[in-house]
Amino acid sequence: MPIVSSNPWLTKETHARLVRELAALRRASTGDRDGDDEIALHAHRQARIRQIEDVLRGAVVGQDPLDDGIAEPGMVLTVEYDDGDIETFLLGTRDEAGQGDLEVYSPDSPIGRALHGAKPGDRREYHVPSGDAVRVTLVGAKPYGRHRRR
């Protein structure tokens, strides 16, 4: 069954970490809230709780996308920039950070939006915050699980 791109993709490890973090945040949010610092900390905890709940809601956990070479969340993408630089990264949620030697780019990032649905050889363009256009060619895309087994 293919992954629905509107649902966040998570590794099993990241899902477990987020569930633990959510439980800890909920426990910490039940104390007294006296003083400005504690009220601000409580508000920060509540915001993070909502953020984690949003990520976990409907998340696809540990299920690799189809091995069809198409760029989508859960795929490890190798790209070549116009200057010849090559980069390999995981297209996943920010909460996936720390996946070994891989950078993680969100599907909602400029490069993630540009590459979503690309096939090897497809050339795409995206804009960085400075407004400059960056051109990139998808060299390959493989499921995270296959990359990890190397």
Side-chain angles (χ1 to χ4, degrees):
M1 169 189 268
I3 291 177
V4 177
S5 62
S6 62
N7 292 343
W9 181 91
L10 301 172
T11 62
K12 290 176 185 176
E13 298 83 6
T14 296
H15 182 267
R17 182 179 52 77
L18 288 174
V19 167
R20 286 190 306 271
E21 182 182 351
L22 181 61
L25 286 168
R26 285 179 174 156
R27 281 191 304 273
S29 291
T30 59
D32 291 333
R33 289 179 280 288
D34 294 334
D36 291 342
D37 289 343
E38 186 57 36
I39 291 170
L41 184 57
H42 177 75
H44 177 73
R45 280 191 205 112
Q46 292 302 322
R48 180 64 178 152
I49 286 170
R50 284 189 299 278
Q51 182 183 36
I52 293 172
E53 288 172 340
D54 287 346
V55 169
L56 293 177
R57 190 175 302 111
V60 176
V61 180
Q63 176 187 348
D64 278 341
L66 292 177
D67 192 2
D68 56 7
I70 297 174
E72 64 180 302
M75 299 291 271
V76 174
L77 308 182
T78 300
V79 298
E80 182 175 0
Y81 295 92
D82 274 357
D83 64 5
D85 283 349
I86 300 214
E87 181 178 23
T88 299
F89 58 89
L90 172 64
L91 192 60
T93 66
R94 287 184 182 187
D95 287 299
E96 294 292 339
Q99 295 302 318
D101 60 340
L102 285 176
E103 283 290 328
V104 179
Y105 293 142
S106 166
D108 294 326
S109 68
I111 192 170
R113 285 193 308 271
L115 288 171
H116 189 268
K119 297 177 182 127
D122 284 356
R123 189 169 181 205
R124 302 286 175 93
E125 181 178 287
Y126 64 96
H127 294 274
V128 293
S130 68
D132 291 339
V134 177
R135 286 181 223 38
V136 62
T137 302
L138 182 65
V139 174
K142 60 184 172 183
Y144 174 73
R146 271 197 56 214
H147 173 80
R148 216 171 98 178
R149 287 191 289 265
R150 290 187 315 165

